[in-house]
C-alpha cells in the first residue's frame, strides 16, 4: 500500500484526499517507482478544479523523483535501483509509490537531488520546448516572460541568460521582480504598478519583443499581443488567471501579422526519444550550474491542500514540492 492523493469530485483544495492504495507489479512497458518527492504545478490545480476535466476518482500530480523498484517486460532504459525522475501522463505523482508507464521516465544523474529533480522536471522540460522547440530564438533576441518568479520563470530567466537571450520579466511585486533580475532577466516589470506593454516598448526602444511566453492567461493576454514586434510569436502555455477569452483572428493581422500557439509539454515529450533528449539538455544545464533550481516551499504529503492554496494565491516563488 502507498499513501496517495486523490480527488472524487472537482472543486477547491478541500476535495484533495489522502488514501492508502495498493501499488501492484509493473506490466509490459511499466515500472514501479518508490518516490521521494513530487512537484506541484498549475496543471494540478486545473485538473483538481475541473478546468481540465478528468475521469473521477483520479490521482493527481505530474512530476516526481525516486528509485525504480521493478521494471516490466520490454523496459530497457531503466533497471531496479536506478535513480529516476519524470514529468508525464497519467497523473498520480502525489504518491509514495506507483506503477506507471516507463517511456517518459528518465534516469537521474547522481549530481541532482531527488527534491531538486521533482521541482524541475515538468518546469524544466517546459522551458526547453519554449526556447528550443516552439519558434526559432537566437542570441540577442528579446523575450517577454510573465510570472517570471515562479518555478518555470526562474528556470527560464537562467536559461535565457545562458543562451545570450534578452528576457524581460514580469511579476506581481517588487520583491519578485528582484528575484527575476537576480536569476538573469535583463529587465523586470511589476505588472501591478502600471501598463506592462508600455514599459516593454520603452525597454526595447519601441520595437517590441520577438516572443512572448505567457502562462498567466486571461489577465495578460491582450497586453502581451501589444508587446510583440511585427511577425512576433505569442506562446500561450498556461492560464493561471483563467482561460483566455475567444480571439478574433483578425486581431493578429491588425497588430502586425502576429503568430500564436498554445502548446503543451506532453505533446513535445510524447516521443520517448525526444523526451530523453530534452531531459538530457535540462540535466546538462543543472549539472553545469547554468540553472539552479529554487525550491521556495516544501510540504508534507498530508499538507497538500495547504500547498494548493498557496500556489493558487500566487504566494509562492520558485518551485513547490511535496516530500514523500
Amino acid at each position: 500500500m502507498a499513501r496517495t492523493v486523490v480527488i472524487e469530485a472537482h472543486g477547491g483544495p478541500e476535495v484533495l484526499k489522502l488514501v492508502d492504495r495498493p501499488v501492484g507489479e509493473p506490466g509490459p512497458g511499466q515500472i514501479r517507482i518508490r518516490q521521494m518527492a513530487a512537484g506541484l504545478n498549475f496543471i494540478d490545480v486545473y485538473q483538481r478544479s475541473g478546468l481540465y476535466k478528468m475521469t473521477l476518482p483520479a490521482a493527481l500530480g505530474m512530476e516526481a523523483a525516486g528509485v525504480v523498484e521493478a521494471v516490466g517486460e520490454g523496459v530497457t532504459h531503466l533497471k531496479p535501483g536506478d535513480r529516476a525522475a519524470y514529468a508525464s501522463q497519467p497523473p498520480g505523482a502525489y504518491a509514495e509509490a506507483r506503477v506507471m508507464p516507463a517511456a517518459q521516465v528518465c534516469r537521474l544523474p547522481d549530481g541532482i537531488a531527488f527534491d531538486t529533480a521533482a521541482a524541475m522536471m515538468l518546469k524544466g522540460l517546459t522551458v526547453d520546448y519554449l526556447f528550443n522547440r516552439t519558434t526559432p530564438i537566437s542570441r540577442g533576441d528579446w523575450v517577454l516572460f510573465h510570472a517570471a518568479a515562479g518555478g518555470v520563470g526562474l528556470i527560464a530567466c537562467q536559461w535565457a541568460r545562458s543562451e545570450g537571450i534578452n528576457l524581460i520579466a514580469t511579476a506581481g511585486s517588487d520583491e519578485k521582480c528582484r528575484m527575476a533580475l537576480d536569476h538573469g532577466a535583463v529587465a523586470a516589470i511589476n505588472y501591478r504598478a502600471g501598463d506592462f506593454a508600455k514599459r516593454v516598448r520603452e525597454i526595447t526602444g519601441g520595437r517590441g519583443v520577438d516572443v512572448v511566453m505567457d502562462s498567466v492567461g486571461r489577465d495578460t493576454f491582450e497586453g502581451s499581443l501589444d508587446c510583440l514586434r511585427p511577425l512576433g510569436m505569442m506562446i500561450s502555455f498556461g492560464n493561471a488567471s483563467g482561460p483566455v477569452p475567444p480571439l478574433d483572428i483578425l486581431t493578429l493581422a491588425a497588430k502586425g501579422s502576429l503568430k500564436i500557439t498554445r502548446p503543451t509539454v506532453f505533446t513535445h515529450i510524447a516521443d520517448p526519444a525526444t523526451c530523453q533528449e530534452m531531459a538530457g539538455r535540462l540535466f546538462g544545464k543543472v549539472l553545469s550550474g547554468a540553472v539552479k533550481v529554487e525550491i521556495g516551499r516544501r510540504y508534507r504529503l498530508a499538507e497538500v491542500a495547504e500547498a494548493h492554496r498557496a500556489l493558487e494565491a500566487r504566494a509562492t516563488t520558485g518551485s513547490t514540492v511535496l516530500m514523500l
Side-chain angles (χ1 to χ4, degrees):
M1 304 290 283
R3 294 191 306 159
T4 304
V5 175
V6 301
I7 59 170
E8 296 173 348
H10 292 297
E14 71 279 357
V15 304
L16 297 164
K17 293 185 175 182
L18 187 56
V19 300
D20 286 321
R21 276 185 148 190
V23 180
E25 296 298 321
Q30 295 182 324
I31 64 163
R32 186 176 73 238
I33 183 170
R34 177 65 55 178
Q35 305 195 139
M36 303 300 175
L40 270 72
N41 298 278
F42 265 99
I43 189 173
D44 309 342
V45 173
Y46 305 154
Q47 291 172 340
R48 189 212 71 220
S49 69
L51 179 63
Y52 294 174
K53 297 296 183 185
M54 304 179 75
T55 300
L56 301 176
L60 289 185
M62 305 302 295
E63 66 177 346
V67 177
V68 176
E69 291 187 324
V71 302
E73 181 183 352
V75 176
T76 59
H77 69 291
L78 295 167
K79 65 183 186 301
D82 280 348
R83 305 172 77 250
Y86 66 87
S88 72
Q89 302 276 16
Y94 295 179
E96 293 173 326
R98 67 182 296 201
V99 168
M100 64 179 296
Q104 277 72 37
V105 181
C106 306
R107 187 180 290 111
L108 181 66
D110 290 339
I112 301 175
F114 289 121
D115 58 350
T116 299
M120 78 182 197
M121 286 302 291
L122 192 143
K123 302 167 190 69
L125 293 175
T126 295
V127 171
D128 181 79
Y129 86 68
L130 288 172
F131 282 90
N132 292 314
R133 295 178 52 83
T134 306
T135 190
I137 304 175
S138 302
R139 181 175 295 272
D141 283 352
W142 288 84
V143 169
L144 175 65
F145 199 102
H146 289 297
V152 178
L154 291 182
I155 293 174
C157 289
Q158 297 173 83
W159 199 291
R161 178 173 59 189
S162 74
E163 300 285 341
I165 295 162
N166 299 305
L167 186 146
I168 302 173
T170 75
S173 70
D174 291 343
E175 179 185 3
K176 289 183 176 182
C177 285
R178 284 192 293 272
M179 287 188 67
L181 291 169
D182 289 344
H183 284 76
V186 299
I189 302 165
N190 182 343
Y191 62 80
R192 300 186 191 278
D195 183 348
F196 70 82
K198 180 181 178 182
R199 283 288 298 125
V200 167
R201 291 287 175 180
E202 292 170 353
I203 292 166
T204 60
R207 175 181 178 273
V209 296
D210 301 282
V211 181
V212 174
M213 300 176 179
D214 186 352
S215 66
V216 175
R218 182 179 57 208
D219 290 354
T220 52
F221 184 81
E222 188 170 345
S224 292
L225 295 180
D226 292 333
C227 294
L228 285 165
R229 64 163 176 81
L231 305 179
M233 169 65 85
M234 171 70 177
I235 306 174
S236 176
F237 69 100
N239 23 252
S241 66
V244 174
L247 172 69
D248 180 352
I249 199 166
L250 291 177
T251 301
L252 302 179
K255 291 182 180 292
S257 300
L258 304 180
K259 295 167 283 187
I260 187 167
T261 184
R262 180 53 169 94
T264 74
V265 66
F266 302 110
T267 304
H268 284 276
I269 66 173
D271 175 66
T274 300
C275 178
Q276 299 293 330
E277 175 188 335
M278 292 170 65
R281 279 195 295 268
L282 173 60
F283 295 155
K285 290 284 188 186
V286 174
L287 290 170
S288 72
V291 169
K292 293 181 171 61
V293 180
E294 301 285 342
I295 300 176
R297 296 192 185 185
R298 293 174 174 84
Y299 293 89
R300 297 188 300 273
L301 192 58
E303 299 172 319
V304 63
E306 181 183 344
H308 269 235
R309 290 188 186 98
L311 189 65
E312 284 185 278
R314 301 192 207 176
T316 62
T317 57
S319 298
T320 301
V321 297
L322 298 173
M323 301 305 297
L324 307 175

